[in-house]
Amino acid sequence: MEQTVEQKLEALYELQTIHTKVDKIRQTRGELPMEVADLEDDVAGLETRIQKIKAELDDLEDAIVNRKNMIKEAQALIKKYETQQNNVKNNREFDALAKEIEIQGLEIQVCEKKIKEHQYEIKTKTDVYESAAQNLEDRKKDLEVKKAELATITSETQKEEEVLLSQAEKAKEKIEERLLFAYNRLRGNFKNGLAVVTIERDSCSGCFNKIPPQRQSDIRQRKKIIVCEHCGRILIDETMSEDIKNVAV
């Protein structure tokens, strides 16, 4: 059977009433879901950062080991060249070996300098690592607390919310697809989720702008769906809202 405009408005307001109750339940959770999500992002970011610093520290330790091995090799070559100098036949050979000894000495100096640089980097990065690790531990503790708070609030309201969402699905069945699409779009446009509102003190209770007397009269006749000229919300008269509330009670 084709619905009258009044029946369509009643169905829309019934759905709005249910959704408003769901919104209030979710508001009791406050910013907790967002805080939990933010903390989870922080934890993941810190874990990634710590892994990166750990890899950099490992690379620096390996670099120090390599430099120390290079020093040992250079020292061994110096001993070898010094021994060979004792058996040279002319000054040219002696000078050539002296040059090689000098080169290996410079190599040792470079390695020792690099080792000191790496050791300084290790100290600096270790401080950063320890700070990040402590920060991670703190964030994990905060996350546990927030998750516990959210779980408590959710468990207290979950059953009621599930019942309301079930009622909302049934209420949607009474609304034609075109109107339901418009209703959902309006709900998404406003933070308070109000798509269907009443006239209060000659004004739209959604945006609080005045509604002309003739338009109020048209709304009360319930012969066509009328939206607020300012915010676009669907308007119903105050008596309809009271009638629906009384039926719900």
Side-chain angles (χ1 to χ4, degrees), residues 63-64 67-68 71 105-121:
I64 288 174
R67 289 291 176 180
K68 286 181 177 179
I71 288 173
L106 290 172
E107 181 70 14
I108 290 171
Q109 290 178 23
V110 169
C111 288
E112 288 174 340
K113 182 183 176 184
K114 287 293 183 182
I115 287 171
K116 287 180 180 179
E117 289 175 357
H118 293 332
Q119 287 172 336
Y120 178 77
E121 283 187 78

PDB file of all heavy atoms in Angstrom, residues 63-64 67-68 71 105-121:
ATOM      1  N   ALA A  63      80.647  -2.241  11.657  1.00  0.00           N
ATOM      2  CA  ALA A  63      81.635  -1.341  11.058  1.00  0.00           C
ATOM      3  C   ALA A  63      82.871  -1.222  11.950  1.00  0.00           C
ATOM      4  O   ALA A  63      84.007  -1.195  11.453  1.00  0.00           O
ATOM      5  CB  ALA A  63      81.016   0.038  10.825  1.00  0.00           C
ATOM      6  N   ILE A  64      82.650  -1.181  13.283  1.00  0.00           N
ATOM      7  CA  ILE A  64      83.782  -1.114  14.221  1.00  0.00           C
ATOM      8  C   ILE A  64      84.619  -2.390  14.146  1.00  0.00           C
ATOM      9  O   ILE A  64      85.856  -2.337  14.121  1.00  0.00           O
ATOM     10  CB  ILE A  64      83.265  -0.869  15.662  1.00  0.00           C
ATOM     11  CG1 ILE A  64      82.754   0.566  15.791  1.00  0.00           C
ATOM     12  CG2 ILE A  64      84.372  -1.133  16.685  1.00  0.00           C
ATOM     13  CD1 ILE A  64      82.100   0.869  17.119  1.00  0.00           C
ATOM     14  N   ARG A  67      86.663  -2.273  11.028  1.00  0.00           N
ATOM     15  CA  ARG A  67      87.792  -1.331  11.169  1.00  0.00           C
ATOM     16  C   ARG A  67      88.906  -1.926  12.038  1.00  0.00           C
ATOM     17  O   ARG A  67      90.101  -1.755  11.748  1.00  0.00           O
ATOM     18  CB  ARG A  67      87.297  -0.018  11.769  1.00  0.00           C
ATOM     19  CG  ARG A  67      86.440   0.810  10.834  1.00  0.00           C
ATOM     20  CD  ARG A  67      87.250   1.382   9.695  1.00  0.00           C
ATOM     21  NE  ARG A  67      86.403   2.111   8.752  1.00  0.00           N
ATOM     22  CZ  ARG A  67      86.856   2.715   7.664  1.00  0.00           C
ATOM     23  NH1 ARG A  67      88.144   2.657   7.376  1.00  0.00           N
ATOM     24  NH2 ARG A  67      86.046   3.357   6.852  1.00  0.00           N
ATOM     25  N   LYS A  68      88.524  -2.603  13.092  1.00  0.00           N
ATOM     26  CA  LYS A  68      89.535  -3.241  13.956  1.00  0.00           C
ATOM     27  C   LYS A  68      90.287  -4.323  13.199  1.00  0.00           C
ATOM     28  O   LYS A  68      91.511  -4.481  13.372  1.00  0.00           O
ATOM     29  CB  LYS A  68      88.865  -3.825  15.201  1.00  0.00           C
ATOM     30  CG  LYS A  68      88.442  -2.757  16.206  1.00  0.00           C
ATOM     31  CD  LYS A  68      87.807  -3.367  17.451  1.00  0.00           C
ATOM     32  CE  LYS A  68      87.467  -2.294  18.483  1.00  0.00           C
ATOM     33  NZ  LYS A  68      86.824  -2.867  19.691  1.00  0.00           N
ATOM     34  N   ILE A  71      92.773  -2.654  11.027  1.00  0.00           N
ATOM     35  CA  ILE A  71      93.946  -2.212  11.806  1.00  0.00           C
ATOM     36  C   ILE A  71      94.910  -3.380  12.012  1.00  0.00           C
ATOM     37  O   ILE A  71      96.138  -3.238  11.851  1.00  0.00           O
ATOM     38  CB  ILE A  71      93.496  -1.626  13.161  1.00  0.00           C
ATOM     39  CG1 ILE A  71      92.817  -0.262  12.947  1.00  0.00           C
ATOM     40  CG2 ILE A  71      94.695  -1.470  14.108  1.00  0.00           C
ATOM     41  CD1 ILE A  71      92.184   0.323  14.193  1.00  0.00           C
ATOM     42  N   GLY A 105     100.320   3.008   8.158  1.00  0.00           N
ATOM     43  CA  GLY A 105     100.168   3.819   9.368  1.00  0.00           C
ATOM     44  C   GLY A 105      99.020   4.797   9.237  1.00  0.00           C
ATOM     45  O   GLY A 105      98.232   4.999  10.189  1.00  0.00           O
ATOM     46  N   LEU A 106      98.914   5.404   8.054  1.00  0.00           N
ATOM     47  CA  LEU A 106      97.799   6.327   7.797  1.00  0.00           C
ATOM     48  C   LEU A 106      96.450   5.585   7.808  1.00  0.00           C
ATOM     49  O   LEU A 106      95.449   6.103   8.292  1.00  0.00           O
ATOM     50  CB  LEU A 106      98.001   7.023   6.441  1.00  0.00           C
ATOM     51  CG  LEU A 106      99.153   8.041   6.370  1.00  0.00           C
ATOM     52  CD1 LEU A 106      99.367   8.504   4.933  1.00  0.00           C
ATOM     53  CD2 LEU A 106      98.870   9.234   7.284  1.00  0.00           C
ATOM     54  N   GLU A 107      96.490   4.354   7.253  1.00  0.00           N
ATOM     55  CA  GLU A 107      95.278   3.525   7.250  1.00  0.00           C
ATOM     56  C   GLU A 107      94.830   3.248   8.681  1.00  0.00           C
ATOM     57  O   GLU A 107      93.624   3.291   8.993  1.00  0.00           O
ATOM     58  CB  GLU A 107      95.548   2.212   6.510  1.00  0.00           C
ATOM     59  CG  GLU A 107      94.337   1.267   6.422  1.00  0.00           C
ATOM     60  CD  GLU A 107      93.236   1.787   5.500  1.00  0.00           C
ATOM     61  OE1 GLU A 107      93.483   2.730   4.717  1.00  0.00           O
ATOM     62  OE2 GLU A 107      92.125   1.259   5.592  1.00  0.00           O
ATOM     63  N   ILE A 108      95.772   2.961   9.561  1.00  0.00           N
ATOM     64  CA  ILE A 108      95.451   2.723  10.971  1.00  0.00           C
ATOM     65  C   ILE A 108      94.840   3.971  11.601  1.00  0.00           C
ATOM     66  O   ILE A 108      93.844   3.898  12.334  1.00  0.00           O
ATOM     67  CB  ILE A 108      96.714   2.283  11.744  1.00  0.00           C
ATOM     68  CG1 ILE A 108      97.131   0.877  11.305  1.00  0.00           C
ATOM     69  CG2 ILE A 108      96.463   2.323  13.251  1.00  0.00           C
ATOM     70  CD1 ILE A 108      98.471   0.436  11.842  1.00  0.00           C
ATOM     71  N   GLN A 109      95.417   5.149  11.305  1.00  0.00           N
ATOM     72  CA  GLN A 109      94.888   6.408  11.844  1.00  0.00           C
ATOM     73  C   GLN A 109      93.455   6.655  11.385  1.00  0.00           C
ATOM     74  O   GLN A 109      92.590   7.082  12.177  1.00  0.00           O
ATOM     75  CB  GLN A 109      95.785   7.574  11.426  1.00  0.00           C
ATOM     76  CG  GLN A 109      97.153   7.592  12.095  1.00  0.00           C
ATOM     77  CD  GLN A 109      98.013   8.746  11.611  1.00  0.00           C
ATOM     78  OE1 GLN A 109      97.516   9.769  11.123  1.00  0.00           O
ATOM     79  NE2 GLN A 109      99.339   8.593  11.725  1.00  0.00           N
ATOM     80  N   VAL A 110      93.210   6.399  10.082  1.00  0.00           N
ATOM     81  CA  VAL A 110      91.857   6.575   9.537  1.00  0.00           C
ATOM     82  C   VAL A 110      90.871   5.641  10.239  1.00  0.00           C
ATOM     83  O   VAL A 110      89.766   6.036  10.634  1.00  0.00           O
ATOM     84  CB  VAL A 110      91.836   6.325   8.014  1.00  0.00           C
ATOM     85  CG1 VAL A 110      90.388   6.253   7.501  1.00  0.00           C
ATOM     86  CG2 VAL A 110      92.612   7.416   7.281  1.00  0.00           C
ATOM     87  N   CYS A 111      91.281   4.391  10.399  1.00  0.00           N
ATOM     88  CA  CYS A 111      90.416   3.400  11.059  1.00  0.00           C
ATOM     89  C   CYS A 111      90.125   3.787  12.514  1.00  0.00           C
ATOM     90  O   CYS A 111      88.991   3.664  12.985  1.00  0.00           O
ATOM     91  CB  CYS A 111      91.057   2.014  11.002  1.00  0.00           C
ATOM     92  SG  CYS A 111      91.034   1.269   9.353  1.00  0.00           S
ATOM     93  N   GLU A 112      91.165   4.251  13.205  1.00  0.00           N
ATOM     94  CA  GLU A 112      90.979   4.657  14.596  1.00  0.00           C
ATOM     95  C   GLU A 112      90.021   5.847  14.696  1.00  0.00           C
ATOM     96  O   GLU A 112      89.190   5.920  15.609  1.00  0.00           O
ATOM     97  CB  GLU A 112      92.327   5.006  15.225  1.00  0.00           C
ATOM     98  CG  GLU A 112      93.193   3.766  15.494  1.00  0.00           C
ATOM     99  CD  GLU A 112      94.587   4.126  15.988  1.00  0.00           C
ATOM    100  OE1 GLU A 112      95.012   5.298  15.772  1.00  0.00           O
ATOM    101  OE2 GLU A 112      95.252   3.238  16.570  1.00  0.00           O
ATOM    102  N   LYS A 113      90.134   6.777  13.736  1.00  0.00           N
ATOM    103  CA  LYS A 113      89.236   7.934  13.710  1.00  0.00           C
ATOM    104  C   LYS A 113      87.792   7.485  13.454  1.00  0.00           C
ATOM    105  O   LYS A 113      86.851   7.943  14.108  1.00  0.00           O
ATOM    106  CB  LYS A 113      89.682   8.906  12.620  1.00  0.00           C
ATOM    107  CG  LYS A 113      88.831  10.167  12.546  1.00  0.00           C
ATOM    108  CD  LYS A 113      89.271  11.071  11.404  1.00  0.00           C
ATOM    109  CE  LYS A 113      88.345  12.269  11.304  1.00  0.00           C
ATOM    110  NZ  LYS A 113      88.670  13.145  10.151  1.00  0.00           N
ATOM    111  N   LYS A 114      87.635   6.568  12.465  1.00  0.00           N
ATOM    112  CA  LYS A 114      86.297   6.062  12.144  1.00  0.00           C
ATOM    113  C   LYS A 114      85.692   5.307  13.328  1.00  0.00           C
ATOM    114  O   LYS A 114      84.501   5.417  13.599  1.00  0.00           O
ATOM    115  CB  LYS A 114      86.370   5.147  10.916  1.00  0.00           C
ATOM    116  CG  LYS A 114      86.587   5.872   9.610  1.00  0.00           C
ATOM    117  CD  LYS A 114      85.387   6.726   9.251  1.00  0.00           C
ATOM    118  CE  LYS A 114      85.552   7.411   7.909  1.00  0.00           C
ATOM    119  NZ  LYS A 114      84.389   8.287   7.587  1.00  0.00           N
ATOM    120  N   ILE A 115      86.528   4.538  14.040  1.00  0.00           N
ATOM    121  CA  ILE A 115      86.041   3.798  15.211  1.00  0.00           C
ATOM    122  C   ILE A 115      85.507   4.769  16.259  1.00  0.00           C
ATOM    123  O   ILE A 115      84.429   4.562  16.838  1.00  0.00           O
ATOM    124  CB  ILE A 115      87.146   2.913  15.804  1.00  0.00           C
ATOM    125  CG1 ILE A 115      87.404   1.708  14.887  1.00  0.00           C
ATOM    126  CG2 ILE A 115      86.777   2.425  17.209  1.00  0.00           C
ATOM    127  CD1 ILE A 115      88.609   0.878  15.257  1.00  0.00           C
ATOM    128  N   LYS A 116      86.241   5.863  16.503  1.00  0.00           N
ATOM    129  CA  LYS A 116      85.787   6.873  17.473  1.00  0.00           C
ATOM    130  C   LYS A 116      84.467   7.509  17.030  1.00  0.00           C
ATOM    131  O   LYS A 116      83.564   7.728  17.842  1.00  0.00           O
ATOM    132  CB  LYS A 116      86.860   7.956  17.641  1.00  0.00           C
ATOM    133  CG  LYS A 116      88.064   7.492  18.435  1.00  0.00           C
ATOM    134  CD  LYS A 116      89.091   8.610  18.568  1.00  0.00           C
ATOM    135  CE  LYS A 116      90.314   8.145  19.360  1.00  0.00           C
ATOM    136  NZ  LYS A 116      91.330   9.218  19.461  1.00  0.00           N
ATOM    137  N   GLU A 117      84.355   7.785  15.720  1.00  0.00           N
ATOM    138  CA  GLU A 117      83.113   8.366  15.183  1.00  0.00           C
ATOM    139  C   GLU A 117      81.946   7.398  15.367  1.00  0.00           C
ATOM    140  O   GLU A 117      80.844   7.801  15.769  1.00  0.00           O
ATOM    141  CB  GLU A 117      83.283   8.706  13.700  1.00  0.00           C
ATOM    142  CG  GLU A 117      84.204   9.882  13.448  1.00  0.00           C
ATOM    143  CD  GLU A 117      84.443  10.119  11.958  1.00  0.00           C
ATOM    144  OE1 GLU A 117      83.921   9.327  11.136  1.00  0.00           O
ATOM    145  OE2 GLU A 117      85.151  11.083  11.620  1.00  0.00           O
ATOM    146  N   HIS A 118      82.195   6.128  15.051  1.00  0.00           N
ATOM    147  CA  HIS A 118      81.150   5.113  15.202  1.00  0.00           C
ATOM    148  C   HIS A 118      80.755   4.949  16.671  1.00  0.00           C
ATOM    149  O   HIS A 118      79.564   4.783  16.990  1.00  0.00           O
ATOM    150  CB  HIS A 118      81.619   3.766  14.643  1.00  0.00           C
ATOM    151  CG  HIS A 118      81.814   3.763  13.155  1.00  0.00           C
ATOM    152  ND1 HIS A 118      81.123   4.588  12.311  1.00  0.00           N
ATOM    153  CD2 HIS A 118      82.639   3.006  12.358  1.00  0.00           C
ATOM    154  CE1 HIS A 118      81.489   4.366  11.065  1.00  0.00           C
ATOM    155  NE2 HIS A 118      82.418   3.402  11.064  1.00  0.00           N
ATOM    156  N   GLN A 119      81.736   4.988  17.553  1.00  0.00           N
ATOM    157  CA  GLN A 119      81.451   4.862  18.985  1.00  0.00           C
ATOM    158  C   GLN A 119      80.601   6.031  19.489  1.00  0.00           C
ATOM    159  O   GLN A 119      79.711   5.846  20.311  1.00  0.00           O
ATOM    160  CB  GLN A 119      82.758   4.764  19.769  1.00  0.00           C
ATOM    161  CG  GLN A 119      83.459   3.423  19.605  1.00  0.00           C
ATOM    162  CD  GLN A 119      84.836   3.384  20.229  1.00  0.00           C
ATOM    163  OE1 GLN A 119      85.490   4.432  20.416  1.00  0.00           O
ATOM    164  NE2 GLN A 119      85.323   2.188  20.550  1.00  0.00           N
ATOM    165  N   TYR A 120      80.897   7.228  18.958  1.00  0.00           N
ATOM    166  CA  TYR A 120      80.095   8.403  19.334  1.00  0.00           C
ATOM    167  C   TYR A 120      78.667   8.247  18.809  1.00  0.00           C
ATOM    168  O   TYR A 120      77.699   8.542  19.519  1.00  0.00           O
ATOM    169  CB  TYR A 120      80.724   9.675  18.763  1.00  0.00           C
ATOM    170  CG  TYR A 120      79.921  10.923  19.064  1.00  0.00           C
ATOM    171  CD1 TYR A 120      79.962  11.512  20.324  1.00  0.00           C
ATOM    172  CD2 TYR A 120      79.104  11.485  18.081  1.00  0.00           C
ATOM    173  CE1 TYR A 120      79.206  12.644  20.604  1.00  0.00           C
ATOM    174  CE2 TYR A 120      78.344  12.616  18.351  1.00  0.00           C
ATOM    175  CZ  TYR A 120      78.400  13.186  19.618  1.00  0.00           C
ATOM    176  OH  TYR A 120      77.645  14.305  19.900  1.00  0.00           O
ATOM    177  N   GLU A 121      78.553   7.779  17.558  1.00  0.00           N
ATOM    178  CA  GLU A 121      77.219   7.547  16.980  1.00  0.00           C
ATOM    179  C   GLU A 121      76.447   6.509  17.784  1.00  0.00           C
ATOM    180  O   GLU A 121      75.247   6.650  18.012  1.00  0.00           O
ATOM    181  CB  GLU A 121      77.350   7.075  15.527  1.00  0.00           C
ATOM    182  CG  GLU A 121      77.664   8.169  14.533  1.00  0.00           C
ATOM    183  CD  GLU A 121      77.604   7.652  13.104  1.00  0.00           C
ATOM    184  OE1 GLU A 121      76.500   7.491  12.566  1.00  0.00           O
ATOM    185  OE2 GLU A 121      78.682   7.377  12.543  1.00  0.00           O
TER     186      GLU A 121
END
